[in-house]
């Protein structure tokens, strides 16, 4: 486990945990200022480099930056998953950061492919680690969790790779993954025993 713990992504996550924990003490005003700054950074990029949002900005006459979270919520049209599925190419940035494609869990009936920059994925995982830390768990403590494995359903090489890689990653990370797609009484009893 020590070898995995020393990988750069986990060392970075460990350092970031303190930053995230400090943010939990912020005032509401500080939180909203941080959120607005992040939304405006994303919006600046999206309206310049993403066909769908460039079109929405023109059609809806949206401002180059939002002055408040309330203004953003009031003016930004809601995006539904069907539009994302049908017009997915229009949501891709012309200048993407380095990243990878992921599949959602499919909780609405069908997994959705989404592109996530590596930086965003690392931030997402750090927030997960912080939530676990709040319950007294370290990144590499033994854990069992109920989770889907939508990525393993991907066709071709990508799905085949995920089906092989996920159990290895789980073992290295000291995780027991319980299948969220099987929740019958017998399944739940087996999970409890595991």
């Amino acid at each position: 486990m020590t070898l995995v713990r020393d990988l750069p992504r986990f060392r970075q996550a460990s350092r970031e945990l303190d930053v995230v924990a400090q943010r939990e003490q912020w005032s509401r005003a500080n939180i909203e200022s941080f959120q607005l700054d992040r939304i405006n950074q994303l919006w600046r990029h999206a309206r310049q480099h993403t066909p769908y949002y460039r079109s929405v900005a023109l059609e809806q006459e949206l401002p180059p930056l939002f002055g408040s979270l309330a203004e953003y919520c009031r003016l930004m049209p809601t995006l539904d998953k069907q539009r994302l599925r049908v017009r997915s190419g229009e949501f891709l940035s012309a200048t993407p950061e380095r990243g990878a494609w992921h599949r959602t869990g499919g909780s609405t009936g069908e997994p959705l492919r989404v592109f996530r920059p590596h930086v965003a994925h690392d931030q997402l995982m750090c927030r997960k680690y912080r939530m676990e830390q709040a319950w007294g768990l370290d990144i590499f403590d033994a854990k069992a969790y109920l989770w889907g494995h939508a990525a393993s359903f991907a066709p071709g090489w990508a799905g085949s790779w995920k089906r092989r890689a996920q159990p290895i990653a789980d073992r290295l990370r000291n995780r027991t993954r319980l299948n969220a797609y099987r929740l019958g009484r017998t399944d739940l009893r087996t999970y409890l025993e595991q």
Side-chain angles (χ1 to χ4, degrees):
M1 209 59 64
T2 304
L3 180 63
V4 176
R5 184 182 296 278
D6 287 337
L7 290 173
R9 71 182 285 184
F10 296 114
R11 286 199 322 259
Q12 175 64 31
S14 293
R15 287 190 299 268
E16 180 98 4
L17 284 173
D18 291 335
V19 173
V20 175
Q22 288 172 2
R23 287 182 187 157
E24 293 169 7
Q25 306 306 313
W26 283 1
S27 68
R28 185 77 215 149
N30 286 350
I31 293 169
E32 289 181 4
S33 175
F34 179 78
Q35 290 171 332
L36 181 61
D37 182 53
R38 295 297 296 267
I39 284 171
N40 279 326
Q41 287 175 21
L42 183 60
W43 177 236
R44 188 178 302 115
H45 179 89
R47 68 178 285 137
Q48 290 176 348
H49 303 288
T50 308
Y52 175 80
Y53 285 108
R54 189 170 35 244
S55 171
V56 166
L58 291 171
E59 291 170 11
Q60 303 285 326
E61 298 180 0
L62 296 174
L65 296 174
F66 295 97
S68 69
L69 293 176
E71 179 186 35
Y72 169 79
C73 291
R74 188 177 71 251
L75 297 177
M76 183 60 70
T78 303
L79 176 63
D80 61 86
K81 286 187 177 184
Q82 184 59 30
R83 179 171 301 206
L84 186 55
R85 282 189 184 99
V86 173
R87 299 170 61 179
S88 60
E90 295 179 24
F91 291 90
L92 299 177
S93 171
T95 60
E97 294 180 41
R98 292 187 61 212
W101 287 95
H102 298 265
R103 293 174 75 82
T104 64
S107 60
T108 58
E110 183 180 338
L112 183 66
R113 287 186 70 225
V114 295
F115 181 82
R116 186 179 306 138
H118 293 315
V119 167
H121 181 74
D122 291 346
Q123 290 172 347
L124 177 70
M125 294 308 296
C126 184
R127 283 18 173 216
K128 177 180 177 277
Y129 303 148
R130 173 59 191 141
M131 184 225 24
E132 292 171 349
Q133 185 184 51
W135 286 93
L137 296 170
D138 181 69
I139 294 173
F140 294 102
D141 282 349
K143 297 178 194 82
Y145 63 104
L146 193 62
W147 200 257
H149 50 91
S152 66
F153 296 137
W157 182 86
S160 178
W161 169 254
K162 282 291 187 182
R163 284 188 291 279
R164 287 176 177 79
Q166 191 66 66
I168 295 168
D170 285 344
R171 172 167 249 149
L172 288 171
R173 302 275 298 281
N174 209 12
R175 302 183 296 206
T176 299
R177 184 181 301 257
L178 306 174
N179 190 342
Y181 305 122
R182 292 185 164 173
L183 299 175
R185 285 191 183 279
T186 305
D187 301 310
L188 294 176
R189 274 192 214 102
T190 302
Y191 295 163
L192 187 58
E193 290 170 11
Q194 289 178 328

